[in-house]
Amino acid sequence: MRKPENIVYGTGDKPPLQIVLILALQQMSFLGVYLVISPLLARDLGLDQQQSLQLISATLLASGLGVLLQTAKIFGIGSGYFCPLQGTSSTFAGLILVKTHSGLSAVFGMVGVVGLAQMAFAFLFQRLRGVFTVQVAGLAVLLIGLGLGNYGIKLLMEVKPGMSWHQQGSLCVLTLGTMIAFNVWSSGHLRLFSAFLGLIAGFIGSWFMNAIPDSDWAVFHEASLFYLPKPMNIGWSLDHRSLLPAIITGLFLALHGFGALVAAQRFNDADWKRPDLQLIKQGIIAEGLTNFCNSLLNGLPLTSSGGAVSLAASTGCTSRYLAYWLAGIMGIIAFMPKAIVFWQIMPLPVMGAALIFLASFTALSGLQVIASRLLDNRKTLALGIGLILGVSYEPVFRTFHEISTEGLKTLLFSGVSLGVFATVVLSTLFQIRNHTRQQRSFDALHSSLDDVILFLEQQGKSWGARAEIVKRAEYATWQAFEILTEHGLIEKQDETSDKIQLQTIFNEYTFTVVLNYTGTVLPLMTHRPSHEEMLRDESAVLQMAGYLLHRLADQVRTRHDGEHCELRLIFND
């Protein structure tokens, strides 16, 4: 794994203490916006002030545990990447439905089942390697970026009482401009703190503009400094009517986690080619285990934060050591209500600008992943429909909830999970009659290079191979055609033509071209003939051709059964 140029401290690097501490505070500043979700759910569930505080503290403690499990990578749990967890309002529908039918304590029993369902789906994802392809991974990353940007725009457009449009616009320009200035034009360690410096500038600007209402400051001053959270303070029970909503929620949380973990892999490896489903499985297991523990703490369901992953990449530090400090800060804040309230009073335009900043990096990274592969009509339709549904999540969600029954309202979870789910279903459907082996007969004497290129490009698009691999295969295959014909290795099957059966095989890791013909097998050499051998041995020219062909492909194999010969060119994708 090669570290990208924009990453200063990679996964295994250990930043200096003062730097990693500020970076952890930067991450907490971003994730703090999601603390607002807990009071919103507490209000919908009818919790009192003490129970609401318990909900927030438990969620913070579980978030700290989750980032540790995700990074530690022990006993087959965790991906080893920096990938924090966050709450999401998309789980509200299922939680409120369970509370209505089964009572408040059953809500946290449902969270436990959600965690178990995530772990079960993690094993299923690994087995569906042919469906969870590079293109699906790229779509997930793209939708995460678009979702962050959409949420950021919504925060900018939401005018709070006592704040004018002029103030909102000024705060957005100040915050986003500061982040861009330090990220683009600064050098050294300042770029690492570009997001944090932008948030500080936005908060100071809010202070001078009086953009934070007096009521928010009053809540901050009234909050106690320390608080001792009590696990199981609200309750825990399991009701069979909560199983289906919990399993569906677990599926879509796992899909969302798939996208965030792919983004983490993509940001950390300059030579990234495809998602490592083994590490993704371990990462989703860590997420599921966190939610199971979270249910015992009486906290909110958590999912991997694509925004936090993007923040780490955009500022140049994805070190796993950052996770340890972030977990410590989360654990401390969980016992400090005053610190919790401080993050809750952050003006929305400041957080909206931060989300737009992060969305830019994530969305473009997803586009790059998708564009790295060739696409045929099947993949274009699967990805296109998934993208449209993911981007149109809100109108689809609103319409679906107006016409559906209560039991179906948990089916739509988030734009990321909806888009990925649709793409996976369509990709599975399009596997019908989409064979991984294709064969065509060519007239070696009269076929042109364009004929070979057209055939191989069609197969590359059908299977989503990388463009550069297909180009290598085209050149090497045509060289093989010329070697077989010019050196008379093919026997004529009739008076006018020499036939070559060209077959292509693809399995996500290799693109293989097989040439079947009747004649003489091509001698392959792993070392080139010497000058003396070329002068005195006529067959040395053919040996040199076999040696050059060996250099064009990653592997070259020959096989013959009498006069029936096979030349196999293998290209690692």
Side-chain angles (χ1 to χ4, degrees), residues 41-42 153 167 170 321 324 329-330 336 377 470 479 549 562:
L41 179 63
I153 294 296
Q167 288 177 315
S170 299
Y321 293 96
Y324 307 139
I329 292 173
M330 286 179 167
M336 301 178 65
N377 289 342
V470 177
Q479 293 301 310
L549 191 61

Side-chain angles (χ1 to χ4, degrees), residues 90-102:
S90 301
T91 59
F92 282 14
L95 297 175
I96 294 172
L97 178 66
V98 170
K99 191 257 183 180
T100 302
H101 290 163
S102 308

Side-chain angles (χ1 to χ4, degrees), residues 117 121 243-253 407-408 410-413:
F121 285 118
L243 293 180
L244 180 59
I247 292 172
I248 295 173
T249 302
L251 169 62
F252 288 117
L253 280 177
L408 293 176
T410 57
L411 289 175
L412 292 185
F413 179 75

Side-chain angles (χ1 to χ4, degrees), residues 485-503:
T485 54
E486 291 180 5
H487 292 276
L489 299 180
I490 303 177
E491 286 187 5
K492 289 186 177 181
Q493 296 178 338
D494 52 48
E495 294 181 356
T496 59
S497 65
D498 299 340
K499 295 293 183 181
I500 296 179
Q501 297 291 332
L502 192 61
Q503 184 184 52

Side-chain angles (χ1 to χ4, degrees), residues 468-469 471-483 525 544-556 569-572:
E468 62 184 81
I469 294 299
K471 291 295 183 185
R472 287 180 57 201
E474 292 168 358
Y475 180 69
T477 303
W478 184 248
Q479 293 301 310
F481 264 66
E482 291 187 334
I483 291 171
M525 302 290 291
M544 174 63 79
Y547 167 75
L548 293 176
L549 191 61
H550 210 287
R551 296 292 299 272
L552 293 175
D554 294 300
Q555 298 180 55
V556 182
L569 309 175
I570 302 173
F571 305 88
N572 295 330

Side-chain angles (χ1 to χ4, degrees), residues 166-448:
H166 172 73
Q167 288 177 315
Q168 293 220 156
S170 299
L171 287 176
C172 176
V173 171
L174 175 63
T175 304
L176 186 58
T178 303
M179 292 179 179
I180 292 173
F182 281 106
N183 190 270
V184 175
W185 292 296
S186 68
S187 58
H189 291 151
L190 285 179
R191 188 173 71 86
L192 292 169
F193 313 131
S194 56
F196 191 53
L197 293 172
L199 290 171
I200 291 176
F203 192 81
I204 293 174
S206 304
W207 181 293
F208 282 103
M209 295 181 191
N210 294 319
I212 302 176
D214 293 338
S215 57
D216 287 352
W217 284 117
V219 173
F220 171 73
H221 290 302
E222 291 173 2
S224 59
L225 185 59
F226 294 105
Y227 161 80
L228 186 62
K230 300 177 182 178
M232 306 287 288
N233 184 53
I234 303 176
W236 197 100
S237 64
L238 191 60
D239 190 284
H240 70 278
R241 287 173 291 186
S242 67
L243 293 180
L244 180 59
I247 292 172
I248 295 173
T249 302
L251 169 62
F252 288 117
L253 280 177
L255 289 171
H256 190 279
F258 169 80
L261 289 165
V262 166
Q265 291 182 5
R266 174 70 177 84
F267 288 140
N268 280 280
D269 188 0
D271 301 319
W272 187 88
K273 295 178 181 179
R274 64 179 58 82
D276 187 332
L277 291 183
Q278 173 63 28
L279 290 182
I280 288 176
K281 180 194 77 172
Q282 294 176 191
I284 296 176
I285 288 175
E287 189 176 320
L289 182 59
T290 300
N291 275 328
F292 182 78
C293 296
N294 198 15
S295 73
L296 302 178
L297 294 171
N298 286 174
L300 270 176
L302 298 169
T303 186
S304 297
S305 175
V309 170
S310 303
L311 174 60
S314 64
T315 53
C317 179
T318 57
S319 171
R320 63 168 58 95
Y321 293 96
L322 181 58
Y324 307 139
W325 285 93
L326 178 59
I329 292 173
M330 286 179 167
I332 293 172
I333 294 177
F335 294 87
M336 301 178 65
K338 194 175 286 293
I340 294 173
V341 174
F342 177 78
W343 258 277
Q344 290 177 342
I345 66 175
M346 182 74 73
L348 296 183
V350 175
M351 299 310 304
L355 290 173
I356 293 172
F357 175 77
L358 301 177
S360 305
F361 291 92
T362 310
L364 268 296
S365 177
L367 278 177
Q368 290 175 341
V369 172
I370 295 175
S372 69
R373 299 285 169 144
L374 297 175
L375 304 175
D376 66 348
N377 289 342
R378 296 171 187 248
K379 288 183 169 53
T380 299
L381 284 171
L383 293 170
I385 292 173
L387 177 60
I388 291 171
L389 287 175
V391 172
S392 308
Y393 167 71
E394 289 196 5
V396 173
F397 177 83
R398 187 165 51 249
T399 303
F400 186 82
H401 270 230
E402 288 176 357
I403 64 175
S404 67
T405 63
E406 288 294 323
L408 293 176
K409 288 186 178 181
T410 57
L411 289 175
L412 292 185
F413 179 75
S414 68
V416 177
S417 54
L418 175 61
V420 172
F421 181 72
T423 301
V424 167
V425 170
L426 289 174
S427 298
T428 304
L429 179 64
F430 291 157
Q431 293 297 317
I432 300 174
R433 300 186 66 183
N434 185 28
H435 305 295
T436 56
R437 293 173 180 259
Q438 293 290 336
Q439 183 169 307
R440 179 177 167 184
S441 179
F442 285 87
D443 185 336
L445 295 178
H446 301 93
S447 296
S448 66

